[in-house]
């Protein structure tokens, strides 16, 4: 066994992380390669204006301009596909943290080592955080490097800000998966609940501006903390980042609480 739970978990995630990172690099390359053909099509903005308001609210950030690199990436990558990929990765890692170990019947071996349950869960959370930030950083680096190959230049500091908020968005749902897995020991629940909550949160944020009874709920959506302040244009929002980070801490604390009080399988 490796010297720490963090190192063991990170080692086990290496192939999965490499696969996700490779997929993201190729996805960004595709978007960058398409950009030269998009920027010369001003009619695309007219097309966006003709779309139903609900559709624009869900899949295109307010005021996004497809004729600029920032607006193009905001609509094509950061509004939908980017969050989906990072959330799926984080939820998968969070689910494997405790519930996955029990499902594979390896938790007993892990707890036989001289480590407390609290340390096991915190180091599992640490590995999930590290992997999610590596994946977001890979996406940001791909945007900067591959974008320049196709004259799709986005300020590096704005890309870094967007990647920070993207990683925090993924970690909110990853921490939820870890907490559900730690409290229940059920792999299916640890994947289904965060995924379902993510879908609801996405709809609440997207439709909140149009549906009066959803509007009061909109600020509570993690997607609101992620994109409402438009990080690709305005940079990091301290309050939004703090809310997302605090949510992650609370969910991990719930996981520690549940894991310490439950009979463990396997």
């Amino acid at each position: 066994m490796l010297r720490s739970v963090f190192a063991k978990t990170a080692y086990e995630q290496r192939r999965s992380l490499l696969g996700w990172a490779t997929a993201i690099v190729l996805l960004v390359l595709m978007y960058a390669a398409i950009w030269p053909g998009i920027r010369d099509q001003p009619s695309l903005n007219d097309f966006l204006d003709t779309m139903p308001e609900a559709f624009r609210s869900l899949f295109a950030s307010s005021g996004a301009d497809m004729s600029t690199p920032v607006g193009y990436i905001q609509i094509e990558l950061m509004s939908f596909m980017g969050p989906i990929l990072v959330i799926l990765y984080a939820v998968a890692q969070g689910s494997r943290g405790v519930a996955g170990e029990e499902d594979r019947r390896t938790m007993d071996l892990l707890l036989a080592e001289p480590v407390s349950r609290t340390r096991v869960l915190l180091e599992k959370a640490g590995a999930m955080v590290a992997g999610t930030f590596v994946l977001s950083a890979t996406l940001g680096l791909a945007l900067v490097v591959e974008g320049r190959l196709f004259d799709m230049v986005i300020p590096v500091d704005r890309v870094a800000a967007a990647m920070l908020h993207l990683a925090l968005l993924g970690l909110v749902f990853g921490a939820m998966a870890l907490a559900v897995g730690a409290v229940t020991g059920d792999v299916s629940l640890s994947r289904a609940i965060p995924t379902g909550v993510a879908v609801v949160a996405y709809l609440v944020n997207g439709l909140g501006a149009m549906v009066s009874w959803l509007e009061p709920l909109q600020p509570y959506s993690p997607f609101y903390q992620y994109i409402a302040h438009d990080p690709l244009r305005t940079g990091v929002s301290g309050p939004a980042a703090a809310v997302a980070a605090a949510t992650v801490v609370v969910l991990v604390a719930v996981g520690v609480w549940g894991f310490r009080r439950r009979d463990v399988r396997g």
Side-chain angles (χ1 to χ4, degrees), residues 169 201 205 217-230 240:
L169 174 69
N205 181 62
L217 301 176
Q218 190 181 29
Y220 298 101
S221 168
F223 286 91
Y224 183 86
Q225 311 302 334
Y226 159 60
I227 205 168
H229 68 284
D230 201 353

Side-chain angles (χ1 to χ4, degrees), residues 73-218:
I73 287 301
Q74 204 168 41
I75 293 174
E76 294 293 338
L77 185 62
M78 302 305 292
S79 292
F80 190 67
M81 186 60 75
I84 283 181
L85 293 175
V86 175
I87 288 172
L88 286 177
Y89 172 81
V91 168
Q93 301 312 317
S95 174
R96 290 172 185 165
V98 173
E101 291 278 2
E102 293 187 51
D103 190 60
R104 296 191 298 273
R105 305 292 180 185
T106 54
M107 183 57 83
D108 275 353
L109 294 175
L110 194 59
L111 294 179
E113 298 294 320
V115 291
S116 67
R117 290 192 181 194
T118 298
R119 181 178 165 187
V120 168
L121 192 136
L122 291 179
E123 293 198 24
K124 289 283 187 183
M128 178 189 68
V129 170
T132 303
F133 270 102
V134 167
L135 194 64
S136 296
T138 300
L139 196 160
L141 187 62
L143 273 177
V144 172
V145 175
E146 295 176 350
R148 292 180 188 279
L149 297 177
F150 297 94
D151 198 25
M152 189 183 73
V153 180
I154 302 174
V156 174
D157 61 330
R158 297 295 188 263
V159 172
M163 293 308 111
L164 171 64
H165 284 285
L166 180 62
L168 288 171
L169 174 69
L171 287 173
V172 167
F173 295 103
M176 191 179 297
L178 183 66
V180 172
V183 171
T184 67
D186 190 312
V187 173
S188 299
L189 284 179
S190 68
R191 293 172 181 167
I193 291 178
T195 303
V197 172
V199 172
V200 172
Y202 181 81
L203 293 174
V204 167
N205 181 62
L207 300 177
M210 295 179 299
V211 181
S212 59
W213 63 272
L214 285 178
E215 188 175 3
L217 301 176
Q218 190 181 29

Side-chain angles (χ1 to χ4, degrees), residues 13-119:
Q13 292 176 2
R14 70 192 188 286
R15 291 178 180 169
S16 169
L17 182 58
L18 179 61
W20 281 89
T22 301
I24 278 183
V25 167
L26 293 176
L27 181 70
V28 173
L29 180 62
M30 180 194 74
Y31 282 127
I34 293 174
W35 163 245
I38 295 292
R39 67 182 171 192
D40 298 326
Q41 299 292 329
S43 59
L44 283 175
N45 281 327
D46 296 333
F47 172 71
L48 285 175
D49 290 338
T50 64
M51 293 167 61
E53 185 179 357
F55 193 88
R56 277 187 286 130
S57 182
L58 286 171
F59 300 106
S61 299
S62 176
D65 181 358
M66 284 284 281
S67 66
T68 67
V70 168
Y72 169 66
I73 287 301
Q74 204 168 41
I75 293 174
E76 294 293 338
L77 185 62
M78 302 305 292
S79 292
F80 190 67
M81 186 60 75
I84 283 181
L85 293 175
V86 175
I87 288 172
L88 286 177
Y89 172 81
V91 168
Q93 301 312 317
S95 174
R96 290 172 185 165
V98 173
E101 291 278 2
E102 293 187 51
D103 190 60
R104 296 191 298 273
R105 305 292 180 185
T106 54
M107 183 57 83
D108 275 353
L109 294 175
L110 194 59
L111 294 179
E113 298 294 320
V115 291
S116 67
R117 290 192 181 194
T118 298
R119 181 178 165 187

